[in-house]
Structure formats: C-alpha cells, structure tokens
C-alpha cells in the first residue's frame, strides 16, 4: 500500500521491467477511491471493500520486486535494511493517525469505547490488530459500533506478509546454494521462486475458500485467508520477464479488463457476498491484469493512460495517508450524527479527510522517508521504529485506563436489586426515577456481563454445528430442564441457574448464536443461508428426543429472517418463522416432551450501554418507548403457541419494561448489555418472577410443585 513505484532490476532476474510505473500509482487511486466511496455509504458501490484487495496485489508485486532485485544482485536478503525501509515509509504516518484517533475518541466518543480502542491501538502498533478483530467478530459484538482503528487490519496483514515472504525467499536462496549451485543464481531463482510463491498461494486460497464458507466474519480479517492475495502480486513479479513479452494488444485488453473487473466487483458485490474466499479472485486478478497490461512500456497507454493522469496519480501519491485518515473521521462523524451516515454526509467527511491526508503526506511521510540519517543507517531507522511503536503502545495503554463513568458500581446499602426492586417499588421501572448510589454493571463493564455459557464454551457460535449439550446445576438430579434457542435464550441462563439450584434441577443448555429453534431455513448475517443453524437444530432435536427432558424451555429473537429460495424480508419472514417454531414444538410434544415458551425480551432501538456512557447524568435519554420496544415487535412465538395444549407461554415483559418507556436501569442494575440482550446481572434478578410464572403455567406447573 505504500511502496515507491520504481522498478529497476537486473535482466537475469525474473522480475518486473525497469520503469517508473505511473499506472500503478493511478491504480492505487482507484483502490482507495472505491474504499472511500464504500465507507461514505455510496449506494452504487456496495462492494467497494474490494479496494483493499487491490492494494494487497500492488504491495505483493512491489515488495517482491524489491526482494528479487536484491537476491539477484547479492545472493541474499538484508532483512535489517528491508525492515528499515518499511519503518521509514509506514510507521511515522501510522503513529500520527493512532495518536489523532486517541484524541478524537476522548473528545467525541463515549467512554465505553475507549478501553477497546486503546487495546486496538496497541495491537495496531505491533501489526497484530487483524487478529484482534478476527477474535472479536463473534455474535456478542455483532452490534457494537465499528472501531476507528478497524482499517489498520490491512496494514497488519501486509506487515505479516513482509515477515513470511522474505524469510521464505531466504530459504529458497539457501536451497539454491545447497542443491542447485551448478545452475547459477539467476537460474536458481527462476526455479525456486515460483515454487515458493505457490507455497503461499495455493494453501492460503484453499483455506480462504473453506474458512469463508464456514465462519465468514473472522475469515475476513485472518492473515491465512489473505496471504494468497499478496501472493498474486508476488506471482506477477516472479513471472514478470515472461509476462512482459505478451503482445501489446493483449496487454491493452488486460488493462481495460482489469479496470472493468474492479468496477464490476465494486458494483455487484454486497455484504451478502462470502468474502474473501474465491470471490476475491475477481479484484485480485483484475489488479494483476492491470499491472501485467502496463508492462513493457504500456503503462501510459490504453487503460494506463487514464491511470497516469496527473490528478489520478496525485490521489495515488497520498493514498496511504488518505486511507489512514478517512476512517477515524467517518467513525466519529457517524457517532455524532446519531449512528448513521447518509451518502452526502459521508462524501463531505471524505472530502475533509483529504486535508489531513495531504498534510501528513507532505510533512510526515516524505520527510521521514527521505531523512538522510535514517536512509544511511538501518539501525537508526529500526530504533526510530521501535520508539514509534512504543509511543503508540503508550497512547493505547493510556486510553485503556482512561474510561470513567459517573455512575459506578457503588450501590446503596441494602434494598432489592434489579427486577426485585419492582416488588416493593413499582416506580423503580420508571425511566425518570433517579438512580441513587450508582448501578451495576457499569456501562463500561456491561459488554462483558454475559452468562457463564459463553466463557465456558457451552454456547455455540454461528459456525458450530455439533451440540455441546452442557449441563448446569446438579448433574445427578432426577428432573431435567432443557433450555433451547438462540442468544436470547442464553440470556436467561443466570435466572435459570438460580431456579435449578433452588429446585434441585439438572439444567441442560442448547443455545447457538442467531439460531432460532425453528424447523425452517433461516438467514445468517449478510443474508446468506444459515445451513449451520438447520444442522444444529436437527441434532438438538434428536438429542432432546433421546434424553427426554421433563420440560423444554425455549425463547428466540423474534427478528429472524427466513430463507425461501433467497432471503425474505423481516416482515415477510414473520409467518414462516412462526410456522417453523410451531413445527419444532409439535415434534417435541409428539415425543411426549412438554414445552414452555418465554416471550422474547423487548427490543431497544439503541445501544444502551453506549448511550448510558454518553449520558451518565441523564439516563432518561436512554429510555425507549414501550410502543417501540414491545408493541411494535412481531410476535411469531405467541402465534405459534396458540392451540398447542402441551406448549405453554410465559411473559416477563412487565418485569423488564414495566412503564410507558423501557428504562436502561431498574433497581440499580443496568438491564441491557446492548440493544436486545439482558445483562447477566439483571437476568439473575428475574429468577423469582420467572419461577413464579413457570409455576403458574399449566404446562410447567407440575415441575415446580413444592418438593
């Protein structure tokens, strides 16, 4: 993403031609342009994210050219010199943007975000942040706002490639000296470098296809799924001598075809496209086609003539700084504008980002890259790089320690907490009621206030198809209560743990992210068919019928899209999802297993902890009208339960939203960990109301008779 486009190599080496490639600088402009428009929410470029794949190919091509030139001329790769160049080119601007992002976060973003952003700054400083994002792309964080550091994942992937590929070339050089000494250095490279680049390309592409199909969210950020894209560029450099010999007319066709491929991918691809996987072949091969098409002096003709225009090249010149600066500004603007950014607003933000990008390029990138002392001494450059990494790490650590929320967890002595406060004081559920003495968990801690099933591995992520069937409570108890459903079902585990302990029940838990317990094909994030959910439900049904629990408790998010020869809209999905729920319950009833359905929780239309963090002195700002959170929601579970004598329904809505507006805090307990999942702390306070409701329900009352 950041190399100077000057290629000067010995003829004997299988490397690019000796020319300044203005068309590649223009290709950078195309890559950053589609990314910027995509981040500005351009409706006509839903696939603009492929711009980063174009960058990967460019980087792989240029870096490989540098390495091969050195290997051809000297028979070795000077790692210290190589990394010193990377430090001069990349770290100064990146450090400045990380510092600016920390300042912007403190000034404009709520404190709940500071801790995670601080950790991401540290990870970005050492170029491991893509692994952090891959690890955190689970269902628990699905609705958390995007990080202003998120775009640094591409730099992390590139830097990790810069570690793997030079080391692999060093191995190739050793093997050449050891086994092919009689052939000469040029011939050794011609034989071994293709093998080396294929060793990167083939396994990574295969794994990318598999991982993207099974777990697309982390696959997007993983190094292993992206190495092949940089290897495409490396392959062009390795075979450059042969590729440069293609006829001019073929080269011109490749250039225009490559530009068309990038445009088509940007227009046709959407969030529903499994990516990277094989879909990334379109932008990567298109970028490779443009690079090949511009070889042998064709870089300023054909498509290259367009890419070589001065304004286009100018955008390419500042593309690295522009990429770094635009995204933090987009994230901050999105927050300040209420959580959404319209295209015209996004365009304005992108336009404004050109100013800091140009200033950064003019006064940071170029001066550090051309600093004579750092050019002459690799050691000095590496020490400067270590200092910059240290500065970024300190900035991140300071931001991690900075979050404070006015209302802490210093609770008032005595008194009932959470839902139980409503027993003695119904007004405790009024959003206007003052919160005396703080609340728990704090807004900052709410994200991690989850049921034990997540940390224990009992809850299945989206890609998981086997049923863990974990047991909570007394494993030897004679009576078994099974909980089945999605993450909304998992939210009830703290309450059910207390109920199980009190009534000596064995609690079996079968929960899976975004997977309603319904006999119907549903949709996962990105509008892809959720086959892992269907497989999971089949296995769980078999397990339940085999185990014969005394009662199955189930609840699911009512907002669940159904697949019917394609994804249905949410409104179109209500009835088929309801029918699927009913079929599942009927199957259990037919096997002699009673079912009790817990009505889905109210659905807030805001990120409650973030709102509370931003409004610690006025929590009423974070209340949502009951008409929106409850009454406006579809009720497929209520419709599905009607007429089933062995399937009951309990409704705890009034214990969660008892007033005309749903309060963020009830009885000194924060109710929500996002917009539609209960905190584990509040769930635990619902144990008594839930037990009472189960005892009163005709289907489940027998299980809760006095023992």
């Amino acid at each position: 993403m950041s190399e100077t486009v000057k290629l000067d190599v010995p003829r004997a080496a299988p490397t690019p031609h000796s020319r300044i490639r203005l068309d590649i600088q223009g290709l950078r402009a195309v890559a950053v342009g589609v990314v910027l428009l995509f981040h500005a929410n351009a409706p006509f470029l839903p696939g603009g994210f492929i711009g980063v794949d174009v960058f990967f190919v460019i980087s792989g091509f240029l870096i490989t050219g540098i390495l091969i030139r050195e290997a051809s001329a000297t028979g070795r790769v000077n790692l210290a010199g190589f990394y010193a160049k990377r430090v001069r080119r990349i770290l100064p601007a990146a450090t400045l943007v990380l510092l600016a992002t920390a300042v912007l976060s403190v000034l404009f973003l709520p404190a709940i975000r500071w801790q995670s952003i601080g950790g991401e700054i540290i990870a970005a400083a050492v170029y491991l942040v893509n692994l952090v994002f891959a690890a955190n792309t689970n269902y628990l964080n699905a609705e958390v706002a995007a990080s202003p550091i998120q775009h640094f994942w591409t730099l992390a992937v590139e830097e990790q490639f810069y570690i793997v590929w030079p080391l692999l070339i060093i191995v190739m050089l050793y093997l050449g000296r050891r086994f092919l000494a009689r052939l000469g250095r040029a011939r050794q490279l011609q034989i071994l470098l293709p093998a080396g680049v294929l060793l990167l390309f083939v396994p990574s592409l295969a794994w990318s296809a598999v991982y993207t199909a099974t777990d697309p969210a982390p696959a997007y950020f993983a190094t292993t799924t992206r190495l092949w894209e940089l290897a495409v560029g490396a392959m062009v450099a390795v075979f450059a001598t042969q590729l440069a010999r293609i006829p001019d007319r073929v080269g011109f066709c490749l250039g225009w075809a490559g530009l068309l491929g990038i445009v088509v991918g940007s227009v046709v691809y959407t969030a529903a496209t499994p990516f990277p996987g094989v879909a990334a072949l379109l932008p990567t091969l298109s970028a490779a086609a443009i690079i090949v098409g511009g070889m042998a002096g064709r870089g300023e003709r054909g498509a290259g003539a367009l890419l070589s225009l001065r304004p286009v090249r100018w955008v390419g010149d500042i593309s690295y700084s522009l990429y770094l600066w635009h995204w933090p500004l987009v994230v901050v603007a999105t927050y300040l504008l209420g959580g959404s950014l319209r295209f015209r607003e996004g365009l304005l933000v992108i336009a404004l980002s050109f100013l800091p990008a140009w200033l950064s390029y003019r006064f940071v990138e170029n001066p550090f890259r051309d600093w004579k002392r750092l050019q002459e001494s690799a050691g000095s450059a590496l020490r400067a790089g270590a200092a910059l990494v240290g500065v970024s790490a300190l900035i991140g650590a300071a931001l991690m320690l900075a979050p404070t929320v006015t209302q802490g967890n210093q609770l008032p002595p005595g008194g009932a907490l959470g839902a139980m406060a409503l027993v003695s004081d119904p007004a405790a559920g009024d959003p206007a009621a003052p919160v005396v003495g703080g609340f728990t968990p704090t807004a900052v801690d709410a994200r991690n206030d989850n049921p034990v099933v997540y940390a224990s591995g009992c809850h299945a992520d989206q890609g998981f198809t086997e049923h863990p069937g974990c047991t909570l409570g007394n494993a030897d108890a004679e009576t078994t209560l099974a909980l089945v459903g999605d993450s909304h079902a998992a939210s009830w585990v703290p309450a059910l743990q207390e109920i199980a302990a009190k009534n000596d029940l064995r609690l079996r838990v079968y929960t899976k992210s975004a997977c309603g317990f319904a006999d119907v094909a549903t949709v996962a994030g990105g509008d892809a068919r959720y086959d892992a959910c269907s497989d999971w439900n089949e296995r769980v049904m078999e397990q339940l019928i085999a185990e014969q629990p005394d009662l199955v408790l189930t609840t699911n998010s009512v907002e669940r899209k159904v697949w019917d020869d394609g994804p249905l809209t949410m409104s179109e999905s209500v009835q088929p999802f309801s029918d699927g729920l009913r079929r599942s319950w009927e199957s259990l009833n037919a096997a002699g297993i009673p079912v009790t359905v817990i009505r889905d929780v109210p659905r807030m239309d805001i990120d409650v902890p973030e709102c509370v963090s931003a409004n610690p002195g006025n929590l009423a700002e974070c209340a949502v009208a009951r008409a929106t959170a409850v009454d406006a929601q579809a009720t497929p579970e209520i419709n599905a339960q009607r007429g089933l004598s062995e399937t009951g329904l309990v409704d705890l809505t009034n214990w969660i939203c008892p007033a005309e507006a749903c309060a963020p805090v009830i009885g000194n307990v924060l109710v929500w960990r996002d917009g539609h999942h209960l905190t584990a702390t509040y769930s635990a306070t619902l144990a008594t109301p839930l037990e009472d409701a189960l005892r009163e329900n005709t289907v489940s009352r027998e299980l809760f008779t006095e023992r």
Side-chain angles (χ1 to χ4, degrees), residues 193-219:
L193 285 178
V197 76
L198 287 174
L199 192 61
L200 280 180
F201 177 80
V202 175
S204 177
L205 176 57
W207 175 240
S208 182
V210 171
Y211 198 17
T212 300
T214 56
D215 207 355

Side-chain angles (χ1 to χ4, degrees), residues 436-634:
V436 180
F439 56 85
T440 187
T442 65
V444 173
D445 295 334
R447 301 279 190 235
N448 298 318
D449 193 43
N450 297 306
V452 68
V453 292
Y454 290 97
S456 66
C458 179
H459 179 81
D461 289 333
Q462 284 182 271
F464 200 83
T465 57
E466 299 298 323
H467 50 79
C470 65
T471 301
L472 303 176
N474 182 4
D476 298 322
E478 295 181 359
T479 305
T480 299
L481 177 64
L483 175 67
V484 186
D486 57 16
S487 58
H488 285 207
S491 292
W492 289 96
V493 165
L496 291 172
Q497 283 182 285
E498 294 196 18
I499 293 173
K502 178 181 176 182
N503 293 276
D504 192 28
L505 302 174
R506 186 168 77 120
L507 178 60
R508 294 278 287 164
V509 177
Y510 303 91
T511 56
K512 177 178 172 63
S513 294
C515 183
F517 185 55
D519 183 14
V520 65
T522 55
V523 172
D527 282 350
R529 184 180 170 114
Y530 196 3
D531 290 329
C533 178
S534 298
D535 294 342
W536 162 273
N537 281 332
E538 288 181 12
R539 289 176 171 84
V540 170
M541 181 65 73
E542 293 171 359
Q543 185 84 355
L544 290 172
I545 292 176
E547 289 185 354
Q548 288 288 304
D550 296 276
L551 177 68
V552 166
L553 271 181
T554 184
T555 186
N556 305 277
S557 170
V558 297
E559 291 199 355
R560 188 70 64 215
K561 286 186 178 181
V562 167
W563 181 279
D564 183 14
D565 294 328
L568 301 180
T569 66
M570 199 67 73
S571 60
E572 293 171 337
S573 297
V574 173
Q575 188 56 51
F577 185 61
S578 178
D579 295 339
L581 291 172
R582 187 179 183 92
R583 284 191 293 270
S584 293
W585 304 340
E586 286 176 330
S587 296
L588 291 175
N589 292 165
I593 303 172
V595 177
T596 295
V597 182
I598 304 175
R599 184 181 180 182
D600 190 24
V601 295
R603 196 174 191 95
M604 310 285 273
D605 61 355
I606 59 170
D607 185 327
V608 175
E610 182 168 295
C611 180
V612 167
S613 176
N615 299 277
N618 185 15
L619 298 185
E621 285 290 321
C622 305
V624 175
R626 182 182 173 108
T628 299
V630 180
D631 299 338
Q633 301 301 318

